[in-house]
Amino acid sequence: MSTIRALFNYQTNPTSEVVFEVLASSDTSKPFHGRNLHPNVVDTFSTALELCSITSKNGSVAALIDVRPTNGVCDITCLLCNKLNISHLSVGWQITDTSDEDLFTFFYHPPSELISKAYATLIKELEWDRFTIFYEDDGSFIRLQEVINSWPYKNDHIHFEKLEPDGDNRETFKNVFVVLRISYHVIDCDMNRIQKYMKEIVSVNNSTQYQSFILTALDSYLVKLDEISQLRANVSTLHLTKSNEPIWRDYGINADEMSATLETGLTADALNHLEKAIRIMRKESSEYAEPPELCFSEDKTSYQEKAWQHGNTLREVLLQTTFRGTTGNITFDENGKRTNFTLYYSKLDSESKFVHVGTWDSKTDSIVTTNTAVTDRSKAITSDSLVRIATKIGMPYFDVEESNGTVVQKGYAVDLIDGIFRHIRQQKGYEDIKHEVYKIDGNGIGNQIAGTKKWDGLIGEVLELNAEMAICDITITSERSSVVEFSTPFMSLGISMLVRERDPQQPDMFSFIKPLALDVWLYLATAYIIVSFVLLICARMSQDDWVNPHPCNQNPENLQNIWSLYNCMWLTVGAIMTQGCDILPRAAGSRWVTGMWWFFALIVTASYTANMSTFLSNSRRDNEIKDVKELSEQNEISYGVLINGSTYKFFETSNDSVYQKIWTVMKSAKPTVFTNNNDEGRDRVLRSKGNYVFFMESTAIEYYMQRHCELKMVGSKLDSKDYGIALHKNSPYKRLVDNAILALQETGELIAMKKRWWESDVKEGDCQTLENEENDNGSLQMKNTSGIFLVLGFGGILGFFVAVIDFLLHARQISVKEKVTFREAVISEWRASLDPRVLHKPAAPPRSAAPSIASQSPRRERSQSRAVSVLRAATSFINFDEIY
């Protein structure tokens, strides 16, 4: 009967020895004698010497089950077995470096490269994009070599952190969770220290529901993580054995008292597999020779000559014999390594117990999920969960006011969150979920802090796990999406320009003068006077303009010329007014001057008419900026944005030439055109009186326009973006929030909320009334034409006074000529002139008394004669009396 030995030491599990003793001694019909060896020495040489001493006294060994860790080296015991053709059944996880040469060593633990391949597949199955590997020693790089080598994201490397088994690792975990903000982690450590590390993790991170872990120890599923009540992370693992297998009771193991580890299962499987192989070998061969002693000579050639003759047979039988044990199917390749095995995939459920959810097959390298009822623990929201939502002060989204000592929160964000959680509580299992909204210090959405991976503002609150979500006018951008997760958008918008209506110009009653510049008017008046005098001289010099006053008299004593200065000025003014004149020149010279003046008057009148039409159109047309391209091409109006906001980033990173030009101008402007918040930008626009444009989101512009009638939005939207609620990566609330937002959108509540906070507190009719007052439908208004009426009135009054003076002068002439009093002449002319029924009047008024010749003094007569002489001399030149 063959003797089987099992070698244990201080590093092996006591349960493994118990199972070996039970299986080796429970049945006397077994084809071998089982003996366990537990040397007191530590080093491999001393162990080999002690083993040699035992085997030389108590007989040879047909096979050796080595439960000790191999550490990748075939030690002296392993070498002795291979030299003597004695099967060496190794249970350790690490394959020896000389495994291809050590033909009699069988490795019952699956190769580390295949286990590593299984974990790489699991990481892909879980869709991890970035993760940390926590390790205790360099053996992790062997156990996880496929995970490292097959990582596809070269730009985002795996982060490695070493753990101290006997030290404090809280700072290490804090750095990874808080500073680096990595949510996925692989922990490669001894199963006995998993609880220690998890307690440290919980102590530095209260929100573990956002973390996911893979435990690589194949016995991790035996760890009692339910003892750590604060742990809510997703935890997954793979394993070869199952703790609830009935066969463990046959092996004498009570699952409630002791754990059946992988080492125990591999020990049992090695012994049972060996038993089956020996039975097959005994059945095929009747001859049996005892194996030699392990230690009998110092000469290597002697070991080769004394090698066990049945060793090769047993090796071949072990390679060909398949067996179903506690670790699954046991088959080997030609080098004695396990093949075609299956790993169980388990994850923590809501009660912090590992539940089998699938399997990984080494043949297909794929994970098949068989239990979909177990959801991620991070998505399991308890009934007493309190969801904290961060926001910032800024209407219409959020504000706080005190009323009777009570703090009241108001705003669009408050209504939206209330609506979302009202919808969530209507679902089964979430009836008691609570939420609270709090404001942060400052008004920042959030930017990455220079030189660190931390963020400030609302994004920082979510990343620091102070809040489960953040809500405000948070624009969804790629930079923010890389660190947080966004809900379904609740509002769509775009970048536009906020401008202020220019102050209305004061009505110009003399706007009819504007079509021609002042110097043109002055030159025109000068030309009018000069041409009138030139025409007068030409008409006086030309003989054709001297005509016979009495056509019937063929031999007149005097010739008459009608071109006085008065008539010349009347002709020129009539031409420029396009009214013409009843008298025209006859001589060639005067006609040529008149023709040139008419041509000049035609051009001036046509130009005035055209400019007048254009001027009136331009006065009604808005001369302000119409779009961003027009804004970029001018230098009078400055423009700016909210510093470090999404609009700021839009211009900073844009590849469009117009936007690049806008960004360059804004960046170099002094003083700065950037503002710290939207309200500051609005106030700057209001103060600028149309000389400052502020780029901001269209929704904020709409809100300001409702409250400031002088503000308006100009141009089309420069881009299209959305507002969303920021949540932590892998947040359990994302699906619930998304569904709630879609429900509110379908029922129209989102539109109602926006209308309430954008329009409810606005005094209706204010801006509408102003618009109606300013809308003139393109017609010419009285305020622009009052000057024409003023000129008409002034001219009429002036003409009236001229007529009165002329009337009085005429009355004076009559009184002198007819020898009547001035009063009589005025009364007579007054009665005759102002009676519309009278079309004729006497040439001289009736005398009230005979003229008194004596009353006229000779001196007076002489002075009147001299005055009349001078007047006649003057009128003989300009001929005022001859007016046609």
Side-chain angles (χ1 to χ4, degrees):
M1 180 176 289
S2 302
T3 301
I4 307 298
R5 296 285 184 173
L7 184 60
F8 304 93
N9 67 3
Y10 71 100
Q11 294 175 295
T12 57
N13 195 321
T15 309
S16 302
E17 292 189 59
V18 173
V19 170
F20 179 82
E21 291 176 354
V22 170
L23 293 179
S25 60
S26 60
D27 189 356
T28 57
S29 63
K30 291 183 179 296
F32 60 83
H33 295 292
R35 297 288 186 271
N36 62 327
L37 303 175
H38 197 133
N40 297 321
V41 293
V42 177
D43 61 285
T44 58
F45 180 76
S46 299
T47 300
L49 290 179
E50 188 170 343
L51 182 62
C52 290
S53 175
I54 294 172
T55 56
S56 63
K57 294 178 181 179
N58 301 323
S60 59
V61 178
L64 177 66
I65 300 177
D66 195 347
V67 189
R68 302 169 305 152
T70 65
N71 297 321
V73 178
C74 183
D75 62 2
I76 298 176
T77 302
C78 171
L79 288 173
L80 290 174
C81 291
N82 279 276
K83 290 296 182 180
L84 296 173
N85 295 352
I86 296 174
S87 297
H88 176 242
L89 281 58
S90 177
V91 175
W93 69 269
Q94 195 167 357
I95 307 296
T96 60
D97 295 335
T98 57
S99 59
D100 295 342
E101 301 173 1
D102 303 330
L103 300 180
F104 290 88
T105 298
F106 294 85
F107 301 96
Y108 280 81
H109 192 290
S112 58
E113 61 267 19
L114 292 181
I115 300 296
S116 177
K117 191 175 183 181
Y119 280 113
T121 303
L122 177 59
I123 291 173
K124 295 177 183 177
E125 179 76 15
L126 297 176
E127 298 180 351
W128 286 10
D129 55 355
R130 180 181 177 220
F131 63 92
T132 305
I133 292 181
F134 294 103
Y135 67 97
E136 292 181 328
D137 52 53
D138 294 341
S140 297
F141 296 95
I142 300 174
R143 291 188 291 270
L144 300 175
Q145 57 182 312
E146 278 298 318
V147 174
I148 299 172
N149 295 336
S150 64
W151 180 241
Y153 304 105
K154 302 300 181 183
N155 296 330
D156 203 354
H157 302 291
I158 301 172
H159 184 73
F160 296 92
E161 289 286 349
K162 187 173 183 180
L163 301 177
E164 298 295 335
D166 300 324
D168 189 347
N169 301 280
R170 285 179 293 182
E171 285 300 322
T172 301
F173 290 124
K174 186 176 181 180
N175 177 66
V176 172
F177 300 149
V178 180
V179 179
L180 300 179
R181 296 188 305 278
I182 302 178
S183 300
Y184 305 121
H185 317 279
V186 174
I187 299 182
D188 186 76
C189 67
D190 187 271
M191 65 165 290
N192 296 319
R193 288 187 285 271
I194 291 177
Q195 271 196 349
K196 171 184 182 297
Y197 295 142
M198 287 299 177
K199 289 178 180 179
E200 291 177 338
I201 289 172
V202 169
S203 66
V204 300
N205 189 351
N206 294 327
S207 302
T208 55
Q209 67 268 26
Y210 300 114
Q211 307 297 328
S212 296
F213 297 92
I214 291 178
L215 305 177
T216 60
L218 296 180
D219 288 326
S220 299
Y221 75 106
L222 298 174
V223 179
K224 304 295 183 182
L225 293 179
D226 55 345
E227 298 177 2
I228 309 175
S229 59
Q230 299 91 342
L231 182 64
R232 297 176 58 191
N234 299 317
V235 183
S236 303
T237 188
L238 299 176
H239 50 98
L240 271 170
T241 59
K242 287 184 178 181
S243 60
N244 56 356
E245 291 287 350
I247 196 172
W248 293 117
R249 291 193 297 270
D250 299 336
Y251 294 164
I253 294 178
N254 186 352
D256 297 332
E257 297 178 358
M258 62 181 70
S259 298
T261 63
L262 175 61
E263 178 191 290
T264 303
L266 292 175
T267 303
D269 288 348
L271 185 58
N272 290 330
H273 184 225
L274 182 61
E275 177 186 353
K276 185 177 181 180
I278 292 175
R279 289 183 184 276
I280 295 174
M281 186 184 69
R282 289 283 182 91
K283 188 181 295 184
E284 294 178 354
S285 177
S286 58
E287 297 181 359
Y288 180 78
E290 290 294 330
E293 298 178 6
L294 288 179
C295 306
F296 57 86
S297 177
E298 295 180 358
D299 187 5
K300 294 182 180 180
T301 57
S302 300
Y303 281 96
Q304 296 175 355
E305 294 174 356
K306 297 290 184 178
W308 188 31
Q309 59 181 344
H310 297 298
N312 283 322
T313 304
L314 181 58
R315 176 181 180 275
E316 293 297 326
V317 174
L318 284 172
L319 291 177
Q320 297 173 6
T321 302
T322 59
F323 177 75
R324 177 72 182 179
T326 59
T327 60
N329 294 324
I330 297 177
T331 57
F332 295 95
D333 61 11
E334 59 183 8
N335 294 320
K337 299 177 183 178
R338 284 279 295 269
T339 61
N340 301 332
F341 59 93
T342 300
L343 292 176
Y344 300 106
Y345 170 35
S346 295
K347 57 196 300 187
L348 280 186
D349 61 5
S350 58
E351 298 179 356
S352 297
K353 295 184 181 297
F354 279 102
V355 178
H356 175 226
V357 296
T359 57
W360 175 85
D361 193 341
S362 63
K363 294 180 181 179
T364 60
D365 187 25
S366 61
I367 294 178
V368 179
T369 302
T370 57
N371 184 3
T372 58
V374 181
T375 59
D376 288 344
R377 283 164 52 81
S378 62
K379 297 180 180 179
I381 304 173
T382 60
S383 60
D384 59 347
S385 297
L386 175 62
V387 183
R388 303 188 76 232
I389 302 102
T391 186
K392 66 182 183 68
I393 293 291
M395 290 298 288
Y397 300 97
F398 183 78
D399 199 3
V400 177
E401 63 180 17
E402 293 188 6
S403 177
N404 298 326
T406 303
V407 177
V408 178
Q409 296 177 341
K410 66 176 184 177
Y412 177 85
V414 176
D415 287 358
L416 178 58
I417 285 296
D418 289 343
I420 289 174
F421 278 89
R422 183 173 61 254
H423 182 271
I424 292 176
R425 293 186 188 102
Q426 294 174 357
Q427 302 182 38
K428 185 177 180 180
Y430 304 103
E431 297 85 354
D432 299 326
I433 192 171
K434 304 176 184 65
H435 75 280
E436 67 175 13
V437 180
Y438 74 95
K439 68 179 182 67
I440 64 170
D441 297 331
N443 292 314
I445 298 295
N447 293 285
Q448 188 170 357
I449 300 174
T452 69
K453 293 188 177 182
K454 292 186 177 182
W455 285 59
D456 55 15
L458 293 175
I459 303 297
E461 287 292 302
V462 175
L463 293 178
E464 296 290 337
L465 304 177
N466 296 325
E468 277 71 28
M469 60 186 74
I471 183 172
C472 199
D473 51 340
I474 306 177
T475 305
I476 302 175
T477 64
S478 59
E479 184 180 15
R480 293 169 181 169
S481 297
S482 65
V483 294
V484 297
E485 198 164 13
F486 281 98
S487 67
T488 297
F490 60 82
M491 190 179 296
S492 297
L493 59 142
I495 299 174
S496 192
M497 297 186 291
L498 177 68
V499 301
R500 183 185 187 274
E501 293 275 6
R502 292 184 179 273
D503 293 335
Q505 297 181 353
Q506 295 298 325
D508 188 0
M509 61 177 62
F510 296 102
S511 59
F512 61 89
I513 299 177
K514 297 295 180 64
L516 297 181
L518 177 61
D519 56 345
V520 176
W521 284 111
L522 294 177
Y523 282 119
L524 181 60
T526 303
Y528 165 69
I529 295 173
I530 292 174
V531 170
S532 298
F533 274 99
V534 170
L535 179 59
L536 174 64
I537 295 172
C538 291
R540 287 289 179 169
M541 292 192 313
S542 300
Q543 296 302 312
D544 290 338
D545 284 316
W546 291 91
V547 297
N548 185 0
H550 302 288
C552 296
N553 185 2
Q554 297 298 321
N555 297 307
E557 295 181 359
N558 298 314
L559 297 177
Q560 185 181 26
N561 193 316
I562 64 173
W563 294 106
S564 63
L565 180 60
Y566 185 89
N567 285 343
C568 289
M569 297 182 73
W570 183 248
L571 173 64
T572 52
V573 77
I576 204 167
M577 294 296 180
T578 67
Q579 299 301 314
C581 185
D582 292 339
I583 57 175
L584 297 171
R586 296 183 179 184
S590 56
R591 284 186 174 183
W592 183 257
V593 172
T594 303
M596 290 299 99
W597 174 253
W598 284 351
F599 178 75
F600 173 81
L602 173 66
I603 300 301
V604 171
T605 304
S607 300
Y608 177 83
T609 304
N611 286 356
M612 185 65 175
S613 176
T614 304
F615 173 77
L616 293 176
S617 300
N618 289 341
S619 65
R620 292 190 295 266
R621 187 181 300 124
D622 187 4
N623 293 323
E624 295 180 352
I625 298 298
K626 296 295 187 300
D627 54 42
V628 68
K629 187 175 186 299
E630 186 177 343
L631 180 67
S632 66
E633 295 172 349
Q634 56 81 45
N635 299 319
E636 298 179 358
I637 301 176
S638 59
Y639 38 86
V641 296
L642 171 65
I643 190 169
N644 291 329
S646 60
T647 305
Y648 179 96
K649 300 293 184 182
F650 169 79
F651 284 106
E652 184 181 23
T653 59
S654 176
N655 294 323
D656 187 272
S657 59
V658 175
Y659 301 154
Q660 286 179 343
K661 184 177 180 180
I662 290 285
W663 168 250
T664 302
V665 173
M666 290 192 297
K667 186 178 180 180
S668 59
K670 293 183 179 180
T672 179
V673 293
F674 300 127
T675 64
N676 296 319
N677 52 65
N678 285 338
D679 289 345
E680 183 181 337
R682 174 205 60 193
D683 295 339
R684 189 165 178 176
V685 171
L686 289 172
R687 293 193 306 268
S688 69
K689 298 182 179 180
N691 293 322
Y692 180 77
V693 174
F694 190 66
F695 290 100
M696 64 191 309
E697 286 83 359
S698 56
T699 51
I701 294 178
E702 293 169 2
Y703 179 77
Y704 290 143
M705 287 171 56
Q706 292 291 336
R707 286 148 185 81
H708 302 277
C709 299
E710 61 270 40
L711 296 179
K712 65 178 181 179
M713 181 166 56
V714 174
S716 59
K717 297 178 182 177
L718 308 186
D719 67 345
S720 179
K721 58 181 66 176
D722 302 295
Y723 286 158
I725 299 175
L727 304 97
H728 198 278
K729 291 284 188 180
N730 306 317
S731 173
Y733 304 101
K734 184 179 186 308
R735 178 182 58 83
L736 299 173
V737 172
D738 289 347
N739 292 338
I741 291 176
L742 292 176
L744 294 175
Q745 187 176 17
E746 292 170 356
T747 57
E749 292 185 56
L750 286 182
I751 297 176
M753 290 178 189
K754 182 178 179 182
K755 186 174 182 180
R756 175 187 175 189
W757 290 105
W758 264 251
E759 303 177 7
S760 62
D761 58 345
V762 179
K763 295 181 180 179
E764 295 184 1
D766 288 353
C767 294
Q768 290 80 353
T769 302
L770 180 62
E771 291 176 359
N772 293 334
E773 290 176 355
E774 294 182 352
N775 186 13
D776 55 13
N777 295 323
S779 59
L780 192 62
Q781 300 299 303
M782 183 63 191
K783 60 186 178 183
N784 299 114
T785 58
S786 58
I788 301 176
F789 291 92
L790 184 61
V791 171
L792 176 62
F794 178 77
I797 294 174
L798 180 61
F800 177 77
F801 279 108
V802 171
V804 170
I805 293 173
D806 184 62
F807 176 79
L808 296 177
L809 290 175
H810 178 66
R812 179 63 180 172
Q813 290 177 354
I814 292 177
S815 68
V816 173
K817 183 178 180 181
E818 298 297 331
K819 305 295 192 290
V820 295
T821 62
F822 179 73
R823 182 174 180 275
E824 291 175 341
V826 169
I827 293 174
S828 176
E829 287 297 318
W830 181 267
R831 290 174 179 174
S833 299
L834 296 182
D835 189 353
R837 296 173 297 178
V838 177
L839 301 178
H840 302 277
K841 68 175 182 177
R847 295 183 178 87
S848 60
S852 177
I853 300 176
S855 62
Q856 301 273 345
S857 66
R859 186 176 179 179
R860 181 183 178 94
E861 289 179 357
R862 284 194 300 270
S863 62
Q864 288 181 351
S865 299
R866 284 195 298 268
V868 171
S869 303
V870 174
L871 182 63
R872 286 178 179 176
T875 56
S876 65
F877 178 73
I878 60 177
N879 197 11
F880 271 117
D881 295 333
E882 299 295 336
I883 299 175
Y884 294 86

